[in-house]
Amino acid sequence: MNVPAYKVASFEITDIPLIRKIAKLHKPIILSTGIAQIEDIERAIQVCVEEKNYQIILLKCASAYPTPYEDMNLKTMSNMEETFGCITGLSDHTMGTAASVAAVAMGAKVIEKHLTLSRKDGGPDGIFSMEPDELKKLVDEIRIVEKAMGAVKYELTSKQKKNREHSRSLFVIRDMKQGERFTSDNVRSIRPGFGMHPMYFENILGKSAKIDIEKGTPLSWELIN
């Protein structure tokens, strides 16, 4: 059939001869870990490595149908990535989209969900399977999360830079005469952000005005002796 990858279900992760045969085909292998103890995962990975197949994807899984949310332990998925150095994802048997969307936010690269045309059709997986409109909703939510995750970035967007104008800064709030001292009565941190940074408030207290300053003037070093 020339499939692009092979999926090994949780209940087959202990079938080492099967995993070895798959590994020899040198295509990506997706391993669900629902019933696996950590030594089972180690053994399955070791077999793949022995066959020089390093295209391994581990899926965090709880073999309960449907799975209660409190049994998901999604943090294990991140630990599997650190422990085994593999791509990780989630085999999700919960109802709804929350667990899968959270997993993507935590770094999941593969999401497995069961699909049915209608839960009314029954079948062994029917009760916890997604219907087509629900699967579309899941994919849409995942795509949103992927966009929102972005990258580590402290630079401001042009919109954020514009919004900084609405931040606080130091303004003169009473008319001042040349030589008059700056105090908490005539200088205040208010909006907008056209004056000095509020971090300088204590530095300018006690200094004097270089010229007459009108109430409502953004404070700047040019106005201070």
Side-chain angles (χ1 to χ4, degrees):
M1 294 176 68
N2 196 32
V3 295
Y6 289 90
K7 162 69 195 300
V8 178
S10 295
F11 297 98
E12 273 67 62
I13 196 169
T14 57
D15 192 340
I16 296 304
L18 173 65
I19 294 175
R20 187 179 298 278
K21 184 171 183 177
I22 295 172
K24 288 180 178 180
L25 299 173
H26 294 286
K27 291 185 177 182
I29 304 173
I30 303 171
L31 298 169
S32 269
T33 61
I35 65 155
Q37 297 176 319
I38 191 165
E39 56 265 30
D40 296 318
I41 301 173
E42 291 173 340
R43 193 176 296 113
I45 291 175
Q46 182 59 36
V47 167
C48 296
V49 170
E50 287 172 3
E51 301 301 334
K52 295 182 171 51
N53 189 334
Y54 308 101
Q55 303 177 84
I56 305 165
I57 301 168
L58 295 177
L59 299 187
K60 174 67 181 75
C61 177
S63 294
Y65 312 93
T67 305
Y69 289 115
E70 58 271 23
D71 291 347
M72 290 299 290
N73 296 311
L74 291 180
K75 291 181 178 179
T76 308
M77 183 189 70
S78 302
N79 183 261
M80 287 195 305
E81 182 176 2
E82 296 172 5
T83 302
F84 301 109
C86 296
I87 293 172
T88 56
L90 179 69
S91 179
D92 183 10
H93 304 134
T94 64
M95 303 300 292
T97 63
S100 289
V101 171
V104 171
M106 295 172 66
K109 298 298 187 293
V110 175
I111 296 294
E112 180 188 52
K113 271 284 197 179
H114 288 235
L115 175 68
T116 181
L117 296 180
S118 172
R119 278 190 290 273
K120 294 178 182 178
D121 292 343
D125 296 348
I127 190 173
F128 63 89
S129 296
M130 282 190 151
E131 294 182 348
D133 60 327
E134 296 170 326
L135 184 64
K136 182 183 185 305
K137 180 174 182 286
L138 172 62
V139 173
D140 290 343
E141 290 179 355
I142 286 174
R143 295 293 175 253
I144 290 170
V145 168
E146 288 172 335
K147 289 180 181 178
M149 291 298 291
V152 177
K153 186 177 181 181
Y154 291 97
E155 296 82 6
L156 300 182
T157 64
S158 57
K159 185 175 179 62
Q160 288 172 318
K161 290 176 181 177
K162 181 67 176 174
N163 282 340
R164 276 185 68 88
E165 295 178 1
H166 302 293
S167 63
R168 292 179 179 272
S169 64
L170 300 182
F171 273 73
V172 174
I173 60 169
R174 293 183 181 179
D175 291 339
M176 294 182 64
K177 295 295 184 181
Q178 181 181 3
E180 186 177 346
R181 300 289 179 182
F182 293 102
T183 70
S184 57
D185 292 325
N186 54 32
V187 175
R188 188 172 298 166
S189 173
I190 60 176
R191 293 178 179 179
F194 300 143
M196 293 171 60
H197 196 290
M199 66 186 287
Y200 296 115
F201 179 70
E202 293 183 355
N203 297 87
I204 61 96
L205 293 180
K207 291 183 168 56
S208 60
K210 189 177 290 186
I211 58 173
D212 292 348
I213 307 174
E214 186 178 352
K215 173 185 176 180
T217 301
L219 194 56
S220 66
W221 289 114
E222 289 74 19
L223 301 175
I224 303 170
N225 278 322

